[in-house]
């Protein structure tokens, strides 16, 4: 852990900070809902405030007067961004969200597990053993998104392309929405090209019959009365967009916990079933989705503060998870914590539909990496965090 490093200067600097947890804990306890006058945004930090924002009908995922950022509007990134249920609050999203949830929940997890283990073994060959720090990072990103791609019916030969298109889309949209990474015409051009390529690939898949997850989603959406097939197909791509960095982060942060706690590591090496509880505690204690954002649809009182129409609220999920009102002794890592509570998978209308799926894939990934001799002892010295205003993603690179 970092020593004598100054606290993050603001909420968006925290996810890439070496250790933002003293800062998060302090905000949760002392500034449950406060305005950051320097940056002009609100910060919700206590569990009660985060919960209130995420369940409030007047806190929207995008500003009412411009749901799609200007920089994205004239191209394929804008089309995807504007149609994802994650970034919409209109009525049509409700049946679509229901279909997304039902299709994921309907998956046979035992079958998903077999598929994920088989793909992990193929990655051994593709990346080459022994694992080093960089290959570990590549694996963290590749396995979850490739399993989702396979379930959607993407041919294996396109996995590399899909990952690079998703990366370009992610960088372009993050830049437009948060300013990180810095905007440039090339970044947006690449993002639009990636988004266009994803749209074309998925238009073909939905016509020719996709994989079990895409077919289930199309069926569930039809049953729920979603008449707009383009909406449905774009939200199938959305599974990969949503699951990409967050699941990689969970895998990486779990590896770090095992690297930092030798006795925990020994216990897990003797009994891999403990990984399930370790991952649940990592979701609470060192979560990937550090924060999300909301915009006020109208003036209103949120967590006791008057917030004006159009103002932005940074919702500090990672701080809420460290609120002693949510979990006693919140800074202690305890995989056996009874009645653990966290907001890492969201709550309210936008709660994550992959609450079972994502931790399950992360467990398979970490289990596989341990079996292949992941260099736990070298991870700390190779660690940096990806530049992001909201997601905390450990990267290991020498
Ligand atoms: C550990 C990994 C993951 C974490 C921590 C995570 C976390 C979250 C959070 C916090 C939200 C709500 C965001 C908000 O309210 O602003 C969310 C939404 C969502 N997540 Fe996840 N997620 C993960 C993995 C996945 C995966 C693997 C998928 C797809 C297979 C997925 C699909 C979605 C979708 C579709 C939404 C939007 C739901 C809606 O707006 O109705 N997530 N996720």
């Amino acid at each position: 852990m970092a020593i004598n490093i100054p606290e993050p200067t603001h909420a968006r600097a925290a996810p890439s900070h070496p250790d933002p947890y003293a800062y998060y804990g302090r905000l949760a306890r002392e500034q449950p809902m406060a305005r950051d006058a320097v940056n002009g945004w609100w910060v919700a930090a206590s569990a009660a405030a985060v919960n209130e924002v995420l369940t409030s009908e007047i806190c929207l995922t995008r500003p009412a007067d411009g749901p799609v950022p200007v920089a994205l509007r004239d191209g394929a990134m804008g089309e995807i961004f504007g149609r994802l249920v994650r970034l919409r609050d209109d009525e049509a999203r409700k049946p679509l969200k229901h279909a997304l949830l039902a299709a994921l929940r309907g998956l046979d997890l035992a079958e998903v597990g077999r598929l994920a283990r088989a793909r992990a073994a193929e990655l051994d060959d593709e990346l080459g053993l022994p694992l080093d720090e960089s290959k570990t990072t590549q694996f963290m990103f590749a396995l979850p998104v490739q399993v989702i791609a396979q379930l959607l019916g993407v041919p294996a030969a396109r996995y590399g392309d899909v990952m690079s298109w998703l990366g370009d889309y992610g960088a372009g949209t993050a830049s437009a929405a948060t300013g990180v990474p810095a905007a440039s015409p090339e970044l947006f051009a690449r993002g639009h090209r990636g988004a266009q390529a994803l749209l074309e690939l998925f238009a073909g898949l939905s016509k020719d019959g996709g994989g079990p997850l895409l077919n289930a989603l199309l069926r569930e959406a039809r049953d729920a009365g979603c008449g707009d097939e383009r909406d449905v197909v774009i939200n199938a791509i959305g599974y990969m967009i949503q699951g990409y960095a967050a699941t990689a982060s969970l895998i990486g942060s779990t590896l770090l916990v095992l690297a930092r706690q030798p006795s925990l590591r020994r216990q897990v090496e003797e009994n891999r079933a403990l990984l399930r509880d370790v991952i649940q505690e990592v979701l609470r204690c060192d979560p990937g989705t550090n924060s999300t954002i909301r915009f006020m649809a109208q003036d209103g009182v949120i967590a006791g503060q008057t917030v004006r129409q159009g103002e932005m609220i940074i919702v500090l999920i990672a701080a809420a998870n460290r609120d002693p009102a949510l979990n006693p002794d919140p800074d202690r890592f305890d995989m056996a914590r009874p009645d653990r509570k966290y907001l890492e998978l969201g709550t309210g209308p936008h709660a994550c539909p992959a609450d079972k799926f994502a931790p399950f894939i992360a467990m398979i990934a970490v289990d596989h990496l341990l079996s292949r001799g992941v260099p736990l002892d070298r991870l700390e010295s190779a660690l940096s965090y990806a530049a992001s205003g909201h997601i905390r993603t450990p990267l290991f690179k020498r």
Side-chain angles (χ1 to χ4, degrees), residues 171-191:
T173 52
S175 174
T178 70
V180 182
S184 73
E186 302 81 69
L187 185 84
F188 292 132
R190 268 204 314 277

Side-chain angles (χ1 to χ4, degrees), residues 54 85-86 93 97 100 104 148 239 242-243 246-247 250 283 289 292 294 317 343-346 349-354 357-358:
L54 292 181
V85 295
R86 161 76 184 77
R93 74 170 289 284
K97 164 73 178 261
L100 284 163
L104 262 185
I148 301 171
Y239 281 137
Q242 286 300 129
T247 317
L250 179 58
L283 281 165
T289 308
T292 182
R294 291 292 188 270
I317 291 172
L343 287 148
E344 174 57 2
L345 293 159
H350 290 278
C352 183
F357 180 89

Side-chain angles (χ1 to χ4, degrees), residues 59-390:
C59 297
L60 307 180
T61 53
R62 295 295 306 154
D65 62 352
V68 178
V70 179
L72 305 182
R73 273 181 210 160
D74 296 327
M77 271 196 295
E79 183 173 14
I80 295 183
F81 191 97
R83 286 180 181 255
L84 294 177
V85 295
R86 161 76 184 77
L87 299 164
R88 278 164 59 179
D89 294 283
D90 59 303
E91 279 301 303
R93 74 170 289 284
K94 288 185 183 161
L96 198 46
K97 164 73 178 261
H98 173 82
L100 284 163
L101 184 69
L104 262 185
R105 288 271 164 85
L107 289 173
D108 174 354
L109 277 191
E111 184 52 36
V112 171
R114 276 191 288 280
L115 193 145
R117 286 182 198 287
R119 185 63 203 138
E122 288 166 7
L123 281 169
D124 289 345
D125 295 334
E126 289 170 27
L127 296 173
L129 296 175
L131 287 167
D132 62 14
E133 298 86 326
S134 299
K135 289 178 190 173
T136 302
T137 307
Q138 285 171 268
F139 183 96
M140 278 158 46
F141 279 92
L143 185 70
V145 79
Q146 294 186 3
V147 169
I148 301 171
Q150 185 169 355
L151 289 167
L152 291 170
V154 174
R158 309 309 298 273
Y159 292 164
D161 288 336
V162 164
M163 286 178 70
S164 119
W165 297 333
L166 288 169
D168 290 343
Y169 170 87
T173 52
S175 174
T178 70
V180 182
S184 73
E186 302 81 69
L187 185 84
F188 292 132
R190 268 204 314 277
H192 285 308
R193 277 200 301 277
Q196 185 59 38
L198 287 166
L199 289 173
E200 283 165 18
L201 175 66
F202 272 73
L205 293 183
S206 63
K207 275 202 198 69
D208 303 341
L213 181 57
L214 181 59
N215 293 339
L217 178 61
L218 290 166
R219 193 177 54 247
E220 293 288 351
R222 231 180 357 256
D223 293 352
C226 310
D228 185 340
E229 189 168 313
R230 193 140 174 108
D231 248 6
V232 181
V233 169
I234 284 178
N235 277 281
I237 299 172
Y239 281 137
M240 297 189 299
I241 293 172
Q242 286 300 129
Y244 197 13
T247 317
S249 309
L250 179 58
I251 297 167
S253 298
T254 304
L255 293 175
L256 271 177
V257 161
L258 296 175
R260 287 171 177 162
Q261 299 189 38
S263 71
L264 184 67
R265 173 174 167 179
R266 275 192 297 280
Q267 289 178 64
V268 166
E269 269 162 3
E270 278 163 25
N271 178 7
R272 293 292 176 83
L274 294 176
L275 268 180
R276 198 196 141 275
D277 293 333
V278 172
I279 284 175
Q280 287 301 314
E281 185 66 344
V282 172
L283 281 165
R284 184 192 73 78
C285 214
D286 193 11
T289 308
N290 272 204
S291 56
T292 182
I293 47 180
R294 291 292 188 270
F295 299 84
M296 293 298 283
Q298 59 190 63
D299 293 356
V301 176
I302 302 289
Q305 303 285 344
T306 301
V307 188
R308 300 286 173 206
Q309 180 176 16
E311 287 190 316
M312 182 171 86
I313 306 172
I314 298 194
V315 189
L316 285 185
I317 291 172
N321 291 350
R322 296 286 183 127
D323 185 337
L326 198 64
N327 294 285
D329 198 2
D331 294 330
R332 188 166 52 88
F333 186 96
D334 180 1
M335 70 169 163
R337 187 175 281 278
D339 196 22
R340 174 185 301 107
K341 295 198 182 71
Y342 57 71
L343 287 148
E344 174 57 2
L345 293 159
T347 186
H350 290 278
C352 183
D355 55 343
K356 305 269 184 305
F357 180 89
F360 180 67
I361 295 292
M363 188 176 74
I364 290 173
V366 175
D367 183 37
H368 183 86
L369 288 168
L370 289 174
S371 312
R372 297 298 183 271
V374 57
L376 288 178
D377 294 332
R378 303 203 303 267
L379 295 186
E380 187 82 56
S381 60
L383 171 65
S384 64
Y385 283 92
S388 167
H390 296 279

Side-chain angles (χ1 to χ4, degrees), residues 8-14 23 34-43 178 295 310-314:
T9 45
H10 56 72
R12 275 189 167 157
Y23 167 76
R35 189 168 152 77
D36 177 335
V38 175
N39 293 293
W41 58 54
W42 286 86
V43 177
T178 70
F295 299 84
E311 287 190 316
M312 182 171 86
I313 306 172
I314 298 194

